[in-house]
Amino acid sequence: MTEVSTPATTNNAGNPIESDNESLSAGIQGPILLHDHYLIEKLAQFNRERVPERIVHAKGAGAYGELVITNPDIANYTKAKLFQPGAKTESLVRFSTVAGEQGSPDTWRDPRGFAIKFYTEDGNYDLVGNNTPVFFVRDTIKFPDFIRSQKRLPGSGLRDNNMQWDFWTLRPESAHQVTWLMGDRGIPKTYRHMNGYGSHTYQWANSKDERFWVKYHFKTDQGIDFLTQDEADKFAGSDPDLHRADLYNEIEKGNFPSWTLKVQIMPVDEAEGYRFNPFDLTKVWSHKDYPLIEVGKWTLNRNPQNYFVEIEQAAFEPSNIVPGIGYSPDKMLLGRVFSYADAHRYRIGTNYAQLPPNAPRKTEPQSYSKEGAMRYFYNGPEVPVYAPNSFGGPHADPERAGDGGLWDFDGKAVRAGYIKHAEDDDFGQAGTMVREVLNDEQRERLADNIIGHASNGVTPQVLERVYQYWKNVDPDLGRKVEEGVKAKLAEAGEATEPQTGDSSAQGGDETSAVQVGGRS
């Protein structure tokens, strides 16, 4: 029988080690010696195996894929190389839940992250979105407040429905997204059975420098499917990694999931007069006004070899754009341009862009960025470390670069909400969705999901706002919610009427609080 040759174990510097089984000690019964470098390295490495989990989207799964452009006419709208006729672009995707921690079940009712990194000839292009076309808030200054309301109470460390409904009902722009969340798509059957959306409004520019506003839609070719609340609750206990396992196993079996990429295109000069503010992340554009245009086919065909290295260390950021694509006046998008990259610097280090999943594949960075913890790519000693210079260092080339999609705006600094367009209000699109998009069975499940959620730990004071919130969306739905919640609470013997003197039911987004045992 042929003996199998195995490589020698080394430390992280590549030096062979004496033993991987016994620590070096002062005699058999003596203390362990500090100069057993491999023992110290092994324990120290173990202590640091986990980086801080993401504040948002902590639990997820990912895979590699390819986008193939099937519509040659899309080049009329953008000069971005990844969207040119017949282009094939490698990509990395990470799907995720939003509020749950690393160990949370895949089947909680929650939006799903849908973040894609395209490795293009002009560097990486990151499209950071969700499985819904809208979001809970429209200004990035409210994003930390929203996320905290979906997380855990500071005292008990428990999630709290009352905190969620308190925030939602005080921020009426949340109604459209909460309608999505409480409906069938609030718990997709698998990551393969959900759509993905860029959600934000972006800007495209073609080779003639003509500008267009654009929204991305990734339509699942597997068909939309969902879990009922009862099914999701059972899987949370019996198979908490259901979605992660499904994605990995299906790709391993060669059942490659795919999506058809489509876009909505709005000429720049039509934005100002459109009936909804086109940059408001809580709104969608009507498909009748701006029909979907097919772009290409996106297929996932390869699993990562190492989940931590390739998925946990993957960093997606909307600041990664390429020529032909830019930003818009979407305030959530503009805030994320800063916050995502900053979160990566905190979580995985200053030089996170050099890690394998984040490094560009088709271009070599030519940057004056230098040093910092964990840096391992660097310029040659002959390359200057400053700009401008007269020694052949890289220089900015406006002919090759994009401009970020500049748009006209006035120069006065203001703090103001979006300009209201003719049909802008916070509940209108949610109501249209309930009455005209959902069928009878979907409306029934929507009402049941809201009733089940709102009757679990939500105080009578906040419930009064919950009832009015859904009546504003749709009177019939609001009535069903109120009757259903009150029936559940009565059955459980709980109070259904608010106590007098509650100031929190007055609306608005500014509330006072009494500090106990802490700083005011």
Side-chain angles (χ1 to χ4, degrees):
M1 185 174 180
T2 305
E3 185 174 331
V4 178
S5 176
T6 59
T9 302
T10 72
N11 64 13
N12 289 344
N15 311 130
I17 56 103
E18 295 179 357
S19 175
D20 198 19
N21 295 310
E22 291 88 27
S23 304
L24 185 65
S25 61
I28 296 177
Q29 301 287 3
I32 291 174
L33 298 176
L34 184 62
H35 69 269
D36 186 347
H37 169 73
Y38 181 65
L39 168 67
I40 302 303
E41 178 186 87
K42 191 171 185 179
L43 293 179
Q45 182 82 25
F46 176 75
N47 290 343
R48 293 162 175 80
E49 279 187 359
R50 299 293 179 265
V51 299
E53 69 176 37
R54 291 167 168 85
I55 302 297
V56 194
H57 299 278
K59 174 79 180 290
Y64 291 96
E66 183 179 63
L67 173 66
V68 178
I69 303 307
T70 56
N71 180 3
D73 294 336
I74 209 67
N76 294 329
Y77 301 105
T78 177
K79 62 186 177 184
K81 292 178 181 177
L82 78 159
F83 293 129
Q84 298 312 296
K88 298 180 180 179
T89 305
E90 182 187 4
S91 66
L92 172 67
V93 66
R94 185 174 184 273
F95 304 120
S96 57
T97 51
V98 171
E101 302 86 4
Q102 276 277 24
S104 61
D106 286 348
T107 56
W108 273 356
R109 184 171 296 278
D110 204 5
R112 265 61 179 177
F114 202 108
I116 310 174
K117 185 181 297 291
F118 296 100
Y119 300 103
T120 86
E121 296 176 33
D122 288 317
N124 294 343
Y125 173 49
D126 289 2
L127 188 60
V128 180
N130 286 320
N131 70 327
T132 60
V134 293
F135 197 62
F136 297 89
V137 292
R138 60 170 65 98
D139 193 309
T140 191
I141 200 171
K142 298 308 300 175
F143 185 75
D145 299 299
F146 161 67
I147 292 300
R148 289 170 185 153
S149 75
Q150 310 304 295
K151 289 284 191 176
R152 296 178 180 272
L153 290 168
S156 64
L158 299 174
R159 296 192 75 191
D160 182 62
N161 291 1
N162 190 60
M163 181 165 59
Q164 294 181 356
W165 286 108
D166 188 41
F167 181 87
W168 290 337
T169 56
L170 290 173
R171 300 300 305 184
E173 75 265 33
S174 67
H176 196 180
Q177 173 72 312
V178 177
T179 305
W180 280 81
L181 177 65
M182 290 295 162
D184 290 344
R185 299 195 191 189
I187 314 177
K189 181 179 179 180
T190 75
Y191 288 137
R192 298 177 297 116
H193 291 89
M194 67 182 192
N195 290 342
Y197 301 89
S199 302
H200 297 290
T201 298
Y202 291 88
Q203 188 175 149
W204 275 4
N206 64 17
S207 58
K208 300 176 183 178
D209 202 34
E210 296 169 326
R211 304 290 174 132
F212 307 89
W213 302 120
V214 60
K215 281 184 177 289
Y216 296 91
H217 302 250
F218 288 80
K219 297 291 189 177
T220 175
D221 295 329
Q222 290 69 236
I224 292 288
D225 207 348
F226 67 98
L227 298 175
T228 66
Q229 188 66 62
D230 287 343
E231 291 171 332
D233 291 342
K234 290 176 182 176
F235 280 124
S238 65
D239 195 357
D241 295 325
L242 175 71
H243 291 168
R244 181 183 289 182
D246 173 86
L247 181 68
Y248 184 90
N249 292 336
E250 290 302 309
I251 292 175
E252 282 295 289
K253 290 187 291 188
N255 296 331
F256 300 145
S258 65
W259 286 255
T260 300
L261 172 58
K262 300 183 179 183
V263 293
Q264 288 177 285
I265 299 288
M266 176 187 292
V268 163
D269 59 5
E270 293 184 15
E272 185 174 350
Y274 189 52
R275 52 203 181 103
F276 307 111
N277 191 307
F279 312 115
D280 181 348
L281 187 56
T282 70
K283 300 290 196 303
V284 297
W285 302 354
S286 167
H287 288 199
K288 295 178 182 178
D289 297 338
Y290 299 99
L292 292 175
I293 301 172
E294 183 170 327
V295 175
K297 184 73 68 177
W298 181 62
T299 305
L300 299 183
N301 53 23
R302 179 165 64 91
N303 279 319
Q305 292 184 305
N306 184 282
Y307 178 84
F308 177 81
V309 170
E310 299 175 85
I311 304 302
E312 192 59 26
Q313 291 190 137
F316 302 87
E317 54 204 60
S319 51
N320 284 347
I321 58 171
V322 294
I325 302 174
Y327 311 129
S328 79
D330 182 334
K331 295 182 180 182
M332 283 294 295
L333 171 61
L334 297 177
R336 283 171 164 163
V337 167
F338 161 75
S339 65
Y340 276 59
D342 189 57
H344 305 323
R345 285 188 283 268
Y346 154 74
R347 192 176 70 88
I348 46 180
T350 304
N351 291 302
Y352 69 92
Q354 296 187 345
L355 295 170
N358 306 323
R361 304 284 174 89
K362 295 185 176 181
T363 183
E364 185 75 23
Q366 301 291 334
S367 169
Y368 288 101
S369 172
K370 64 189 289 284
E371 301 173 357
M374 308 298 287
R375 189 170 189 88
Y376 59 96
F377 287 140
Y378 52 88
N379 293 334
E382 74 282 358
V383 178
V385 295
Y386 57 90
N389 63 77
S390 57
F391 300 102
H395 64 280
D397 185 352
E399 295 299 318
R400 294 183 58 192
D403 60 13
L406 297 178
W407 60 89
D408 293 332
F409 56 91
D410 60 55
K412 184 178 180 181
V414 298
R415 291 190 183 274
Y418 282 104
I419 297 172
K420 293 287 188 181
H421 287 218
E423 297 182 28
D424 271 326
D425 73 275
D426 291 324
F427 298 106
Q429 289 198 355
T432 299
M433 181 179 173
V434 170
R435 290 183 293 274
E436 300 181 17
V437 178
L438 305 184
N439 59 34
D440 290 342
E441 291 80 9
Q442 290 171 325
R443 278 191 289 269
E444 195 66 30
R445 287 192 294 268
L446 171 65
D448 289 344
N449 292 333
I450 298 168
I451 291 166
H453 195 280
S455 59
N456 184 9
V458 182
T459 60
Q461 291 83 356
V462 174
L463 279 175
E464 289 300 307
R465 294 204 308 272
V466 173
Y467 304 148
Q468 188 58 53
Y469 182 91
W470 289 109
K471 288 174 183 176
N472 290 341
V473 171
D474 180 78
D476 288 340
L477 176 60
R479 176 182 51 77
K480 286 183 180 179
V481 168
E482 181 172 9
E483 291 175 354
V485 171
K486 287 184 174 180
K488 272 186 171 290
L489 295 180
E491 183 179 341
E494 298 181 27
T496 61
E497 300 299 329
Q499 298 176 357
T500 58
D502 172 61
S503 61
S504 67
Q506 300 304 310
D509 62 357
E510 301 295 335
T511 57
S512 60
V514 177
Q515 296 281 339
V516 180
R519 296 181 301 171
S520 61

